[in-house]
């Protein structure tokens, strides 16, 4: 892929992101694909600058050795973000366009919620971006829309099934589910009915052969409305959907139920997309989704019980293919699945990494981003993504900024949409070294996995040399294999050459004895305790009564081998956003536990964490418009 | 485009729709485009079998003469549908692959609601279909998803704006909307704020220059929550969303509001997509959307007042381009916008017809479908689409079936999902001639527009020769220019050659003095009365108190020139689905009236009509799955 790499002519002062993105002449995506070794029959164009790539690459290259996997994680960020995506793109541009390496970038698709809410879009930034940034921030190829469609179809199916069961006799239900043929009265099962029959141990092909008892079990899922844990979704920051009553129309006969919408990317189907490994695996996971319990509480009801696993797969089959885009310097990029590491698995897809690792070859690099601070993004990368996808990291990068260190060192709050206090744009070495405690903890955490750790100081124009030197020096002392200052925002790949060289060295020279922090066999409760104490630095875990009960139930029902996905604030090692630095002595409050049987993990919700963001008083959409002369988007940042 | 046309080898008994669709080797869409005269720079591929076509075709061919516009409408259908899409595709295949004519088919994109609900998908049927039928019935290129995203973003904006206004002082609102620069305290307006400033007559560029009174008017939309007429949408049959309470979470501070979700295709943004003519027009319409009234009732609040018109346009800019697909016989097809003629404008887009008319040239044909019976589909085609898009029909086709005529003649109910009563599959000429009253009324209605009318009897295998002859004979006597039997379901284009020849003759030989039934200047109330009496055969109209009040208000506020879009049942000329045949002496009840200022019409809701369908006990999704060996979709019908 070095063939299409292109040196940038960067300019300072750095123009706005969208100005830069629109100033570069974008290469046809088929050329990018060609240089990356993707065959034309493996490529599905979406316009000239986006494409989907078939998973058949994995079969074609099944015997080829994998490239090196570089995970870009971070420290606990300010609310402005510390440029992790920008650093991921920057080092990719350095490796591919300046250091003659095959490289692939794997990043997550952003949610439209923040794009129109607070962020105004982000595909990296400055001279390190993914193109076309407009599509990246908008519909892309529709994967998130597919997730919303599938999630909401399942929600409608649950609600309507409860309604039909409440308003019909067993006979009527059976007659409608398996209507007799008008000619000879014969009945048939639909394809979608066999998984439930199998689960019930009914090994019959002819509905007429069912006993009364079997008919009852077949037609009545008997879902307990209070147990339904499947929420509808929209990919919009719509806070008024956080708690709603549905079913208030006369036609629903008083079956009012309290429920909620989450933002689409928090859906279990997003987690499934991020963690699945093939179409067959996708089908199986979607069918296994547990939506609630039966009223007698002796059965977990799944999507396949509703006969809808196949339809969900049909809705998701195109979304399964990673989306190919390019960086400003013409290196290939997969954008696929997974934002919101605070409330979801928060990493781009397993399949994107797998395909990219095959394509770059043994000397090439796949640079993949893990969301937010390492305690959530990296921990989930390792325990969910590496475990379920069989991935082995070659190097872990921790992105740090002078700004975030100052905040952890006691600087005033950094609030998106308001002016940055002066302390963040003038030299304050003591705040940096005090705040280093946060980064130190992240370095120590990353080292637990026994993979070399490189710290990247993502340089801002107002950072002083002394401040940056402090981070580099302290990082090395704290156990990082290397630490470098990188200037990719201002200079593109050229500014990240030292960063790229550090990554290369770490993967070729340093020791790598990759390990997990817990094994499958450990009970669910202990897994949570391991994460809380070893990763977060908590002194213990406090489980709510409900959480305890559910953990015991999941353990008893055979889900004990699943890994844990923790939902908590991204602003602290703890579940309290205000505990900056490297807090100790706190207790992690596990408020709620949910089974994500399709995704393959148990979700533990810690502290108060919102699964539906809101819009600020002046949302980003105020700036966004189309230039009617050129047809181009304006106002994405 | 005759170049790519391909003769089918049809087989009987006719296989299932999806079997036929998957048995034909689909042509690369770029070849279809090329033969249709679309330049490669006007084409955006979505995979190899779908593409979007740029509206720049209209500029390039602005001086070229238009082709002939053939509108395919119908009689009042049974709940199974009478094969109008199938007939539209069939005659297109006849014209393009058998009669050496340039042809373009324009049809509507189906909603996923019915695909997973009752219908199981439909892209025509038998040997007259649009390919790829799987994509057609699923996400296609994401247009409906874009509509959902835009509709729901606007809903969130309305709700959150009311919340912020309720919880903040004028000063706080102003400070957050126009935050002072940290350096010099200067403030700026966002791009999205100028439309409101202009509407308020505030001609100032600097927020600091606003008087206290101007600030108040600028920051407070003061939306009356009870007046909000903007609903959220999902493209799912989710009946429990027909009436909901939102805002029940503690974070929303008790601001609970009753509202509802509609199915996405009923959104005003779908109507806008169907009726807009350019990107600039789209921007303007989206900004003009009226979402409700101010509490003082002296202001209609628009999307531009919320500063969101630009963002909505950004979400919709790709959806604006028609989607190119192909028929089984390789003729080009646009699939764009507009299902649900009962509750929406119900026709495919103006721009698809316009682009197609340029591409086929003066001797070519654009065959475009109008939803449901002519009293809604055709009436809206003429008064909304022709009027707003400057289109002139060359011929009107009315599709009739023996089955529907028998039902109108007194046959037993036809219920989807249950067995068809015997009377529909055996000869009953007297029922056909009795039921002809319905078709006669449709012929008389179509003749009002002074465009030649061709009746197409869409032949089913169980129809008798006598039954079909009866329809042909009576149609001609009733004033149709011609009437033919067509067998395209079983034979593809070959079976529709006589149908195609009738269409050609009607456009070349018959008189055409196209006219509207009402002029812009006629008051809104009278327009509704014209439609009710002249088109539906009602003896009069009964307006609810609320409807009367609103009509007066819209008339007074300058919306009186708008055309009317009526929402009512598709199963009768009246608003009562049970009044079959050609009812007279009934009163049309106008229950509710809404302003669709963006779409450019006034919506009159008559009788009880549901804008959110439900799922049956055995939804179509039970049959839908992916074949894991081939990756192909199965179970779409």
């Amino acid at each position: 892929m070095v063939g299409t790499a292109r040196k940038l002519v960067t300019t300072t002062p750095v123009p706005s992101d969208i100005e830069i993105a629109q100033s570069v002449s974008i290469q046809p995506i088929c050329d990018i694909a060609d240089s990356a070794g993707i065959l034309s029959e493996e490529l599905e164009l979406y316009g000239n600058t986006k494409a989907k790539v078939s998973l058949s690459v994995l079969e074609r290259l099944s015997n080829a050795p994998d490239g090196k996997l570089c995970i870009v994680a971070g420290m606990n960020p300010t609310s402005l973000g510390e440029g992790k995506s920008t650093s991921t793109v920057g080092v990719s541009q350095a490796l591919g366009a300046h250091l003659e390496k095959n490289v692939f970038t794997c990043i997550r698709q952003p949610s439209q919620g923040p794009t129109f809410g607070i962020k105004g879009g982000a595909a990296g930034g400055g001279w390190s971006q993914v193109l076309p940034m407009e599509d990246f921030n908008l519909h892309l190829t529709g994967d998130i829309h597919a997730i919303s469609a599938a999630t909401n179809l399942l929600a409608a199916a649950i609600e309507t099934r409860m309604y039909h069961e409440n308003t019909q006799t067993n006979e009527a239900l059976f007659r409608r589910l398996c209507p007799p043929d008008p000619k000879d009265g014969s009945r048939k099962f639909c394809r979608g009915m066999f998984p439930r029959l199998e689960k019930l141990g009914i090994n019959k092909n002819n509905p007429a052969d069912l006993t009364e008892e079997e008919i009852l079990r077949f037609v009545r899922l008997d879902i307990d409305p209070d147990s339904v844990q499947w929420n509808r979704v929209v990919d919009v920051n719509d806070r008024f959907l956080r708690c709603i009553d549905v079913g208030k129309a006369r036609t629903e006969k008083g079956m009012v139920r309290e429920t909620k919408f989450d933002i689409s990317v928090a859906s279990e189907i997003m987690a499934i997309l991020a963690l699945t490994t093939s179409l067959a695996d996708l089908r199986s996971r979607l069918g296994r989704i547990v939506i609630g319990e039966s009223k007698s509480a002796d059965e977990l009801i799944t999507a396949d019980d509703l006969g809808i696993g196949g339809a969900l797969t049909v809705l998701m089959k195109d979304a399964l293919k990673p989306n190919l885009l390019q960086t400003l310097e013409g290196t290939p990029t997969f954008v696929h699945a997974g934002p919101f590491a605070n409330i979801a698995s928060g990493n781009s897809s397993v399949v994107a990494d797998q395909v990219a690792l095959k394509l770059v070859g043994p000397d090439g690099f796949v640079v993949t981003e893990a969301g937010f601070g390492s305690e959530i993004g990296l921990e989930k990368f390792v325990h969910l993504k590496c475990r379920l996808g069989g991935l082995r990291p070659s190097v872990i990068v921790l992105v740090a900024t002078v700004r975030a260190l100052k905040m952890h060192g006691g600087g005033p709050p950094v609030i998106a949409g308001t002016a940055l206090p002066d302390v963040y744009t003038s030299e304050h070495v003591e705040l940096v070294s005090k705040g280093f405690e946060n980064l130190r903890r992240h370095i120590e955490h990353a080292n637990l996995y026994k993979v070399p750790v490189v710290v990247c100081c993502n340089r801002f124009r107002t950072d002083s040399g002394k401040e940056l030197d402090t981070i580099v020096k302290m990082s090395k002392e704290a156990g990082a294999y290397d630490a470098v200052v990188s200037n990719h925002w201002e200079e593109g790949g050229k500014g990240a050459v030292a960063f790229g060289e550090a990554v290369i060295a770490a993967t070729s020279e340093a020791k790598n004895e990759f390990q997990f922090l817990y094994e499958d066999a450990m009970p669910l409760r202990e897994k949570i305790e391991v994460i809380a104490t070893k990763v977060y630095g908590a002194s213990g875990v406090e489980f709510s009564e409900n959480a305890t009960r559910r953990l015991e139930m999941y353990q008893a029902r055979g889900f004990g081998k699943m890994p844990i996905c923790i939902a908590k604030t991204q602003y602290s090692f703890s579940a309290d956003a205000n505990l900056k630095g490297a807090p100790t002595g706190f207790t992690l409050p596990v408020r709620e536990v949910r089974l994500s049987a399709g995704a393959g993990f148990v979700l533990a919700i810690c502290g108060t964490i919102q699964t539906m963001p809101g819009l600020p008083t002046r949302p980003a959409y105020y700036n966004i418009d189309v230039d009617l002369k050129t047809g181009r988007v304006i106002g994405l940042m």
Side-chain angles (χ1 to χ4, degrees), chain A:
Chain A
M1 60 216 64
V2 177
T4 55
R6 154 186 64 194
K7 298 283 182 342
L8 276 182
V9 181
T10 58
T11 52
T12 47
V14 176
S16 78
D17 288 356
I18 196 166
E19 280 167 345
I20 291 177
Q22 294 183 348
S23 75
V24 171
S25 84
I26 191 165
Q27 297 182 52
I29 199 67
C30 44
D31 294 353
I32 301 284
D34 190 45
S35 309
I38 299 163
L39 307 182
S40 65
E41 62 265 31
E42 292 163 346
L43 199 70
E44 253 179 65
L45 294 179
Y46 277 67
N48 298 319
T49 57
K50 297 170 289 179
K52 281 196 165 278
V53 175
S54 165
L55 298 191
S56 61
V57 173
L58 290 174
E59 279 163 56
R60 175 168 64 86
L61 299 177
S62 60
N63 294 320
D66 281 355
K68 290 163 182 158
L69 184 61
C70 169
I71 307 175
V72 180
M75 56 184 296
N76 294 101
T78 69
S79 65
L80 302 176
E82 305 315 308
K84 203 150 36 59
S85 301
T86 307
S87 302
T88 302
V89 175
V91 74
S92 300
Q93 292 181 173
L95 289 164
H98 301 267
L99 294 167
E100 310 261 308
K101 292 289 179 190
N102 281 349
V103 71
F104 231 107
T105 313
C106 291
I107 54 175
R108 296 158 298 150
Q109 183 185 355
S111 160
Q112 278 183 14
T115 297
F116 291 104
I118 241 172
K119 283 175 87 171
W127 290 99
S128 294
Q129 290 190 58
V130 171
L131 301 178
M133 79 90 89
E134 300 90 334
D135 299 63
F136 176 91
N137 284 302
L138 297 167
H139 309 295
L140 194 59
T141 58
D143 295 348
I144 294 180
H145 293 320
I147 289 166
S148 305
T151 303
N152 292 335
L153 179 62
L154 179 51
I158 297 165
E159 209 85 73
T160 316
R161 180 64 176 242
M162 292 194 290
Y163 171 85
H164 287 311
E165 288 192 26
N166 281 342
T167 53
Q168 293 179 42
T169 61
N170 294 344
E171 292 66 38
L173 282 170
F174 190 48
R175 194 177 58 242
R176 293 206 172 94
L177 284 168
C178 303
D181 186 280
K183 301 267 184 288
D184 59 7
S186 70
R187 298 162 180 269
K188 271 192 195 145
F189 290 121
C190 293
R191 182 184 173 94
M193 295 172 178
F194 288 101
R196 175 156 182 83
L197 291 168
E198 197 181 324
K199 172 176 164 182
L200 297 176
I202 302 172
N203 195 8
K204 297 177 179 174
N205 276 313
N206 186 351
D209 296 342
L210 262 56
T211 66
E212 201 117 319
E213 166 67 19
E214 285 172 339
I215 289 175
L216 175 74
R217 292 166 67 214
F218 171 65
V219 303
R220 292 226 171 257
L221 304 183
D222 214 25
I223 300 166
D224 175 4
D226 295 332
S227 78
V228 174
Q229 55 169 3
W230 192 258
N231 300 329
R232 294 170 180 84
V233 295
V234 281
D235 194 30
V236 176
N237 289 4
D238 193 348
R239 56 187 293 165
F240 276 73
L241 298 179
R242 285 172 184 167
C243 183
I244 64 173
D245 276 346
V246 301
K248 289 188 65 200
R250 210 165 29 86
T251 50
E252 277 55 71
K253 302 182 180 168
M255 295 178 212
V256 176
R257 195 172 72 84
E258 188 176 286
T259 180
K260 66 173 297 189
F261 277 71
D262 295 321
I263 193 154
S264 297
V265 293
S267 159
E268 182 175 349
I269 297 187
M270 173 57 98
I272 289 174
L273 179 64
L275 294 170
T276 190
T277 51
S278 68
L279 183 64
D281 180 64
L282 178 69
R283 171 67 187 85
S284 154
R285 286 173 184 270
L286 289 168
R288 286 203 302 265
I289 291 172
V290 168
I291 58 94
E293 298 164 32
S294 64
K295 282 181 192 145
S296 61
D298 60 1
E299 195 191 341
L300 296 177
I301 308 297
T302 66
D304 267 346
D305 284 323
L306 285 154
I308 204 170
L312 300 181
T313 311
V314 165
L315 283 169
M316 289 298 297
K317 73 182 174 53
D318 294 324
L320 177 62
K321 303 168 199 162
N323 304 293
L324 183 66
L325 282 80
Q326 63 189 286
T327 66
L328 281 174
E329 300 192 39
T331 59
T333 303
F334 278 142
V335 180
H336 203 214
F340 284 41
N342 46 354
I343 53 177
S345 71
N347 283 289
S348 68
S349 75
V350 165
V351 289
D353 282 9
Q354 286 178 334
V355 171
L357 284 166
K358 290 296 178 199
L359 288 170
V360 296
D363 296 323
F365 286 80
V366 173
V367 186
T368 185
E369 185 185 355
F372 292 126
S374 80
E375 95 286 2
I376 44 179
L378 175 63
E379 186 275 318
K380 291 176 189 178
F381 193 102
V382 170
H383 291 125
L384 300 178
K385 197 170 156 179
C386 289
R387 183 181 304 239
L388 297 171
L391 302 171
R392 285 187 66 88
S394 307
V395 54
I396 294 167
V397 170
L398 293 173
V399 175
T401 62
V402 167
R403 180 174 69 194
L405 287 173
K406 284 177 175 169
M407 181 196 66
H408 284 290
V414 175
I415 299 164
T418 67
L420 198 62
D422 277 344
V423 62
Y424 292 105
T425 50
S426 51
E427 187 177 277
H428 292 273
V429 178
E430 75 296 350
L431 275 184
V432 171
S433 40
K434 203 161 155 229
F436 185 81
E437 289 315 303
N438 183 264
L439 182 54
R440 181 194 309 281
R441 176 81 69 82
H442 284 285
I443 295 170
E444 288 166 359
H445 164 224
N447 273 331
L448 293 177
Y449 303 111
K450 302 206 171 171
V451 170
V453 174
V454 170
V455 169
C456 159
C457 306
N458 179 24
R459 192 180 159 229
F460 292 4
R461 299 187 62 206
T462 49
D463 297 346
S464 82
K466 268 194 205 160
E467 288 172 334
L468 293 165
D469 289 347
T470 304
I471 303 177
V472 168
K473 184 161 167 286
M474 293 184 81
S475 294
K476 289 182 184 167
E477 288 166 6
Y481 171 79
D482 201 354
V484 290
V485 175
S486 192
N487 197 29
H488 40 265
W489 182 77
E490 201 167 53
E491 297 183 279
K494 192 175 49 160
V497 165
F499 179 11
E501 285 168 342
V503 162
I504 295 170
T507 57
S508 50
E509 295 162 16
K511 220 163 56 173
N512 186 328
E513 298 170 319
F514 175 58
Q515 65 172 17
F516 297 119
L517 300 189
Y518 62 77
E519 294 310 316
D520 292 351
M522 187 182 282
L524 294 169
R525 202 180 159 102
E526 283 178 41
K527 285 175 185 159
I528 296 174
E529 285 163 348
V530 165
I531 296 170
T533 54
K534 287 206 191 169
V535 180
Y536 301 169
S539 53
V541 182
E542 187 187 304
F543 294 91
S544 74
E545 209 173 303
N546 193 323
T548 299
R549 193 183 65 76
R550 285 196 166 255
L551 283 172
E552 282 166 7
M553 178 181 78
Y554 297 150
Q555 193 75 40
R557 295 224 172 144
F559 299 101
K561 289 196 172 163
M562 285 190 171
I564 301 293
C565 178
I566 289 193
K568 75 161 189 70
T569 179
Q570 67 269 36
Y571 295 122
S572 169
F573 270 100
S574 74
D576 175 355
N578 298 314
L579 289 184
K580 301 300 181 192
T584 52
F586 63 89
T587 305
L588 184 76
V590 176
R591 187 165 52 82
E592 195 186 331
V593 169
R594 285 194 222 157
L595 177 65
S596 291
F601 56 68
V602 170
L603 184 70
I605 300 169
C606 301
T608 48
I609 178 84
Q610 193 52 260
T611 51
M612 175 54 88
L615 290 168
T617 305
R618 185 180 72 164
Y621 60 65
Y622 263 112
N623 287 307
I624 298 172
D625 208 334
V626 174
D627 180 331
L628 294 176
K629 285 202 199 78
T630 62
R632 283 192 147 172
V633 176
I634 47 184
L636 289 174
M637 283 187 297

